[in-house]
Amino acid sequence: MQYYPHPFSVDESREWIKRWLAHEEEHGFSLWAIEDRETMEFLGNCGPVVQIVDGEQHVELGWSVTPRRVRQGIASEAAAVWRDQCLGPMGLDHVISLIRPENAPSRGVAERIGMAPWKETTFGSQGWRHIVYRVDAHTTAFSVSAQVS
């Protein structure tokens, strides 16, 4: 939660989950939990969500990994799978990621999965500056490296 306005309370967490479940119902996709395949430990979340950026609708690929498991390639692996799903079976022509400039770990994930800075914008309730990373289907060779289930 370092790059969010503040850590969520239990009630805010419940509302956040409800919001993304409603998003899944409306759009057919949303953030999904990332779990350890062996232990079923919750590791974070990753997935595509609809965002309005500078008045235009885009699908953003977002990710977040629990602090005790960061820097282990988990976000990169999950984000690459979702990138492939979005640009392949889902048929999107591009996906973006909104990343605050000081969030070096997420900028690294975006770059590792083939995204590049596209533009800057202010975004969110705090009006913070974000770098908009983007990857286009027609400029990216991709293949599904793991199953999304």
Side-chain angles (χ1 to χ4, degrees):
M1 303 297 303
Q2 179 179 353
Y3 299 101
Y4 281 74
H6 64 274
F8 291 163
S9 68
V10 171
D11 287 340
E12 288 171 316
S13 294
R14 285 186 181 114
E15 288 303 312
W16 187 83
I17 291 167
K18 286 180 188 175
R19 184 175 75 230
W20 294 122
L21 289 172
H23 186 283
E24 176 86 29
E25 184 71 26
E26 180 179 351
H27 298 285
F29 56 84
S30 186
L31 295 172
W32 284 11
I34 304 170
E35 294 179 337
D36 185 289
R37 289 182 185 123
E38 294 177 16
T39 66
M40 303 307 290
E41 172 191 9
F42 175 76
L43 303 177
N45 61 73
C46 184
V49 298
V50 173
Q51 299 283 15
I52 304 299
V53 179
D54 298 334
E56 295 182 356
Q57 182 173 296
H58 295 275
V59 174
E60 178 194 17
L61 182 55
W63 53 82
S64 178
V65 174
T66 187
R68 69 182 175 283
R69 296 295 300 271
V70 297
R71 307 262 182 189
Q72 297 177 13
I74 295 164
S76 296
E77 180 181 350
V81 170
W82 271 113
R83 176 211 54 211
D84 293 352
Q85 186 74 9
C86 289
L87 301 179
M90 289 174 60
L92 300 176
D93 66 345
H94 73 279
V95 291
I96 65 164
S97 287
L98 293 154
I99 303 173
R100 291 183 41 206
E102 63 274 21
N103 187 345
S106 281
R107 291 175 64 186
V109 170
E111 292 166 7
R112 278 190 290 285
I113 67 166
M115 294 181 135
W118 177 43
K119 64 180 182 175
E120 290 190 16
T121 191
T122 54
F123 186 81
S125 61
Q126 304 293 319
W128 287 335
R129 191 169 67 99
H130 285 72
I131 299 171
V132 183
Y133 278 78
R134 178 176 170 148
V135 62
D136 294 290
H138 70 277
T139 60
T140 304
F142 61 89
S143 62
V144 177
S145 57
Q147 290 201 9
V148 177
S149 57

